[in-house]
Amino acid sequence: MDRILKIVLPALPETLLMVAVASLFGLVFGLPLAILLYVSQKGSLKENQKLYSFLDGLINIFRSLPFIVLIFILTPLTLLIAKKRIGLGAAMVPLSISAIPFLARLIEGNLNDVDLGIIEAAQAMGADTKTIVTKVLLREALSPIIASLTMTIIALVGQSAIVGSIGGGGLGDVALRYGYQRNEVDILWAACLLIILIVQVVQVSGNILVKKLDKRNK
């Protein structure tokens, strides 16, 4: 048991750090991207079909690539940013890039689900685009956006195991090196149980926050 704790537990903060950093980058860049998609689409607040088509196509390209393929494609960027191919810092680059289009597409759907009547009412009152987006659109979509962020974090937990399997550190690295390559089943199961625990905590926390923010429950 002591050996399991010494090997598995140090990998837990590595996984949490990878997921936290990637989630932060996903939100910081994915949210504005989703807003741009929403406002530039046909019939929206600032219709711009060329911009929308470009962003839409770019997101589709990145979302179409399997994550393991994306890791290798982004190797030059990873080397530029992290100065190395493997390790915790290197693992964060593809994770963050993967999170941005994934979350942007989800949030775009959340924004599109906002009642158009509310948007039209704000326009009738003379609100400009910035005010509508910040004071109306994002507030109305806050609960589903939290749900989308929760989904993204859970997806990143799974992807962190993949980058771990190619030298990125974390629980995935431990599961592969000790659990699979050395056939130490106890360590494999310990790593898997921690991954499951992380997912459960994120999902439950996300559900609680979504319910608190959902206006339909008020």
Side-chain angles (χ1 to χ4, degrees), residues 89-124:
M92 293 178 187
V93 177
L95 278 174
S96 300
I97 299 298
S98 173
I100 293 170
F102 183 83
L103 185 57
R105 184 64 80 195
L106 291 177
I107 295 179
E108 180 197 8
N110 300 148
L111 299 179
N112 282 325
D113 287 338
V114 174
D115 188 353
L116 287 177
I118 299 175
I119 305 298
E120 292 170 354
Q123 288 177 313

Side-chain angles (χ1 to χ4, degrees), residues 5-170:
L5 294 177
K6 288 180 180 179
I7 293 172
V8 177
L9 284 185
L12 177 60
E14 292 180 350
T15 294
L16 295 176
L17 180 60
M18 281 191 286
V19 172
V21 170
S23 300
L24 179 61
F25 272 91
L27 185 61
V28 168
F29 292 98
L31 179 59
L33 185 55
I35 293 172
L36 276 176
L37 284 167
Y38 177 85
V39 301
S40 63
Q41 67 184 330
K42 186 176 181 179
S44 193
L45 301 172
K46 293 287 184 179
E47 181 178 334
N48 187 328
Q49 282 295 98
K50 289 184 178 180
L51 176 61
Y52 179 84
S53 297
F54 172 75
L55 295 177
D56 183 64
L58 194 62
I59 287 176
N60 287 339
I61 290 172
F62 276 92
R63 289 196 64 199
S64 299
L65 295 172
F67 182 63
I68 191 69
V69 175
L70 185 65
I71 292 174
F72 295 121
I73 290 176
L74 293 175
T75 297
L77 180 62
T78 300
L79 285 170
L80 180 65
I81 296 174
K83 308 302 181 184
K84 53 186 178 180
R85 294 174 182 269
I86 61 174
L88 192 60
M92 293 178 187
V93 177
L95 278 174
S96 300
I97 299 298
S98 173
I100 293 170
F102 183 83
L103 185 57
R105 184 64 80 195
L106 291 177
I107 295 179
E108 180 197 8
N110 300 148
L111 299 179
N112 282 325
D113 287 338
V114 174
D115 188 353
L116 287 177
I118 299 175
I119 305 298
E120 292 170 354
Q123 288 177 313
M125 294 174 64
D128 58 14
T129 300
K130 181 180 178 181
T131 301
I132 292 174
V133 170
T134 57
K135 302 294 186 181
V136 180
L137 192 63
L138 291 179
R139 286 188 178 182
E140 290 294 322
L142 183 57
S143 177
I145 286 175
I146 296 298
S148 294
L149 180 59
T150 301
M151 187 184 303
T152 301
I153 295 173
I154 291 173
L156 287 170
V157 172
Q159 291 178 342
S160 72
I162 297 176
V163 294
S165 70
I166 59 170

